[in-house]
Amino acid sequence: MTTSSSKNRFQDLSSEGRVENDVFEDDPDHEIRYKTLSWQLVSALMIAEIVSNGMLTLPNAMAAVGIVPSLVLTIFLGVFALHTAKLLIDFKLNHPEVHNMGDAGMIIFGPLGREVLSAGTIIFAIFGTGSELLSGQQALSTLSNNGLCATVLLAIFAIATFVLSLPRTLGRLSWLGLFSALLIAICGLLAMVGAGANPVRDRVIVASVPTNFYQAFLAITGPVFAYAGGTGDDRFFILISEMRRPQDAMKAAWLLQGFATTFYAVFSVVVYVYIGNGVLSPALFSLPPVWSKLTFGIGLVNFLIAGALYSHTAAKLVFVRFFRHSRHIYTHTALGWTVWTALCFAATAAAFVLASAVPIFSYLTGITASLFAAWYTYGLAGFFWLHDTYHQAEPQYTGGVGGSGIAALRKRPVGTVSAVSTVLAGAFICVAGTYVSVKLIVQAYEEGIVGKPFTC
C-alpha cells in the first residue's frame, strides 16, 4: 500500500533512486557506504539466516501432527509471511527514516513503543545468536565425536561468530550470505538423500494425528517460528535500509518465501517419510553417523554466518541509535569502531553466557519467539497498514485534500479486515506460544531433564 499521497509525503525519489530522509545517506565521499545491497543479496542473507534452524525442526513437527496438517500449515504460513512482508515493505517505503522496529514503534506507538520494540529486537537477536551457537556446538561435537567439552566448543564457535559479525555494513557480509544459502540448500539435499538411502524399518507414517490443543500448538511452533525470522521480521527493515533500491525489496521477499516454503515442505515430507515418527529435532541427529557428520559439516558454515547476522543486527540497532547521521556512521573514527566492536562483542558474549549458563535456554528461546517474533513477523504488520491508511487521508498528509482517517479505513473494508486479522493472529500466536513454552519448562523441571550450567 504505497499511494500517490504517501509518495508525496514520504518519498522524493531522484533519478538514481535515492530517498529524502533516508536513514543512511548515500554519498560517494563517505568512507563507509551502506546502500550497496541488491535485492538478490538481501534474499540470500535472509535465506542464510532463517532456513537452517527452521528446516531442521519441521520433520519432528510433522511427526506430531501428521503430513497433511503440517503441509497445510507450512504453505499457509509461507503465504501469510509474504503478505505481512508486503505490509512491512510498504511501511518502510512510506517512512524511509525507519531503520528498525524501534523506529516503527516510535511512529505508531510513541516513545514507549520505540523502547519496547527496540528492546525486543535486541533480546530476540541475542537469543537467535545463542540458538545458532548451540547449533554450531552440536555440529562440532558430532564432527569431533564429543572430543572436547561442549562448553569449550561453544566458546570456540562464539569467538568465530564475533569475528564474523564485525564488518560495519551488511554489504560486506552479503557474499558470505550467498555462500551460506547455497550450503544450507546442499545440507538439506544431502540430508534427504541420507534419509532415503537409510530408511528406518517399521517406521510409522500417518496423514494426520488426533491430538489436543496443547500438543497441536506445541507441534506447530516449529513451522510458525521457522517463518518468524523471515521478511516480516525487524531485520528486513535493517536490510532494506542498506539496499541500493529499496523499491525492489518485494522481489527479495518473493524469492525468500518461495524458496523457504518449497524447501520446508519438501524437506519435512521426505525426511519424515523415510524416518517416520521417531525423527528427532534437529533432524540431522536421525541420520546414520556418516551422514550426520557430512550434513553437520556443511551446515556448520551456515550456523556461523547466521549467528553473526543475528549479532550484527543487535549491534547495528544500538549503534545507529547512538550515532544516527553523525560522522561516526560514515567515517572510520576511533570512537565509532570502539563502540561497534564493543557492541558486537557484548551481543555475542551475552548469547554465549545465556546458551551455556541457562539450562532452560532452548525453552526461553521459544518464549522470546512467542513474545517478539510473533509480533514482528505477523501482528505488527497489520498496525503498519492501519496507521498509514488512516493518516494518509488526513489534511496534513495530503495538502488539504482528504477527509477522516476512519472514513479511509471504511472505504477499504477488505484491507481493514485483513489488517485487523493480522493483528489478532499475532496476538494469538504470542499468547498460545508463550503458554506452551512455559508449560514445557514446568514439565522439564517435573521430569528432572533440566541440565546444569557450563556442563560438558
Side-chain angles (χ1 to χ4, degrees), residues 16-35:
E16 296 179 356
R18 291 194 293 267
V19 181
E20 270 191 5
N21 301 321
D22 201 308
V23 63
F24 292 126
E25 300 172 13
D26 191 20
D27 189 332
D29 294 329
H30 286 158
E31 294 178 0
I32 303 174
R33 298 185 65 184
Y34 292 86
K35 311 285 283 186

Side-chain angles (χ1 to χ4, degrees), residues 282-303:
L284 302 186
F285 282 132
S286 296
L287 301 175
V290 172
W291 286 97
S292 181
K293 288 183 178 182
L294 177 62
T295 51
F296 263 126
I298 294 174
L300 186 66
V301 176
N302 176 266
F303 304 148

Side-chain angles (χ1 to χ4, degrees), residues 413-439:
V414 175
T416 300
V417 171
S418 175
V420 172
S421 299
T422 299
V423 173
L424 294 177
F428 171 76
I429 294 171
C430 174
V431 174
T434 303
Y435 163 75
V436 168
S437 298
V438 171
K439 190 169 182 178

Side-chain angles (χ1 to χ4, degrees), residues 53-108:
N53 279 347
M55 172 187 75
L56 298 180
T57 62
L58 292 180
N60 179 262
M62 182 169 284
V65 297
I67 294 177
V68 174
S70 181
L71 269 182
V72 169
L73 185 67
T74 297
I75 295 170
F76 169 77
L77 288 174
V79 174
F80 190 23
L82 188 63
H83 167 68
T84 57
K86 177 64 165 61
L87 302 183
L88 181 148
I89 291 167
D90 286 345
F91 187 81
K92 168 63 179 175
L93 294 178
N94 288 344
H95 306 271
E97 72 275 16
V98 169
H99 173 257
N100 52 68
M101 201 63 76
D103 293 340
M106 181 68 183
I107 292 173
I108 298 177

